[in-house]
Amino acid sequence: MTIKAIIVDDDFKSRELIHDFCKIYSNDKITIVDLCRSVDEAIISIANNKPNLVFLDIDMPQKNGFELIRHYNVVPFEIVFVTGHANEYIEAIKCSALDYLMKPINPLNIKSIIDRFEHKTEISSNQNRFDVLKNNLVNTKKSIILPNNDGFKVIVINEIIYCETSNGNGKCTSETIVVSKSLKEIFQLLADSSFLKVSSSAVINKKFVKSFHTKIKKLTLLNDYSITVTEYNKSSLMDAISK
């Protein structure tokens, strides 16, 4: 299947650059059917061209890229966000398991995104990724999407008790799920001062700490699960939890 895509960016050079990179690195997989300067132009183009994929600049005048998302109850295409700023928007996008490109754009990143797109499931089954993004952007209960062997799971961040890795698999719990992400990747997504990395294999939510046994260096959580602490002694752990 050839991917039909449009590029939405108010900057002419940026539009042309993405277009050229797509032609050079993935011309056999993708066809750019339109180049749009604004959200309003994109809405008309999407209705006419019905793209599978939209490269969407976040920082545009009048309406930013997220206004395009809000226009649809069900987003009928995949999105790659494009931005020149590593701001709070990037964290929301990461938590939603959506793709993004940072300016200046590396053409190999475009190639890898298009390769991943080919292996994604139907767009309709991924709609709640956009719901998570919308939710996180308005600062209501923030959620995170964690991939697992069956697909993915949406979890409210402040309800996570701990995350732990073992034998290459990650486990994250309010309810226990095994996820296909490393602990480092999970910790990066938990952009919240409530979380603390207590060992090379465990991250805990500080508000769920019940007790700490100094002699055996075991931390007990409110669900009575125990985790070995290697990154802190008693004093430094008390300081870290109280912050």
Side-chain angles (χ1 to χ4, degrees), residues 168-194:
N169 289 317
K171 180 171 66 176
C172 214
T173 184
S174 47
E175 50 182 305
T176 299
I177 62 165
V178 175
V179 300
S180 53
K181 273 187 178 294
S182 68
L183 189 73
K184 180 180 178 181
E185 290 176 296
I186 293 171
F187 192 43
Q188 287 175 341
L189 293 176
L190 300 175
D192 190 308
S193 59
S194 297

Side-chain angles (χ1 to χ4, degrees), residues 124-143:
S124 58
S125 69
N126 291 326
Q127 174 57 31
N128 52 355
R129 292 182 299 121
F130 293 107
D131 294 337
V132 167
L133 177 63
K134 291 177 187 178
N135 190 46
N136 288 348
L137 288 172
V138 296
N139 291 317
T140 55
K141 276 190 174 181
K142 287 199 170 185
S143 300

Side-chain angles (χ1 to χ4, degrees), residues 54-136:
V54 174
F55 291 94
L56 179 62
D57 186 27
I58 294 174
D59 304 298
M60 293 185 287
Q62 284 84 51
K63 295 179 181 178
N64 70 26
F66 297 121
E67 293 300 318
L68 183 66
I69 306 299
R70 296 186 183 103
H71 178 79
Y72 298 94
N73 291 324
V74 176
V75 180
F77 43 82
E78 286 286 348
I79 290 179
V80 176
F81 289 99
V82 182
T83 181
H85 306 284
N87 51 29
E88 70 277 7
Y89 295 145
I90 294 300
E91 295 307 318
I93 292 166
K94 286 180 180 178
C95 287
S96 309
L98 292 161
D99 282 322
Y100 68 95
L101 290 168
M102 289 292 298
K103 297 178 182 179
I105 293 166
N106 182 337
L108 295 180
N109 290 341
I110 291 181
K111 184 179 185 304
S112 64
I113 284 172
I114 292 169
D115 289 343
R116 284 200 301 275
F117 176 88
E118 288 191 304
H119 296 95
K120 284 190 175 181
T121 56
E122 292 183 8
I123 290 170
S124 58
S125 69
N126 291 326
Q127 174 57 31
N128 52 355
R129 292 182 299 121
F130 293 107
D131 294 337
V132 167
L133 177 63
K134 291 177 187 178
N135 190 46
N136 288 348

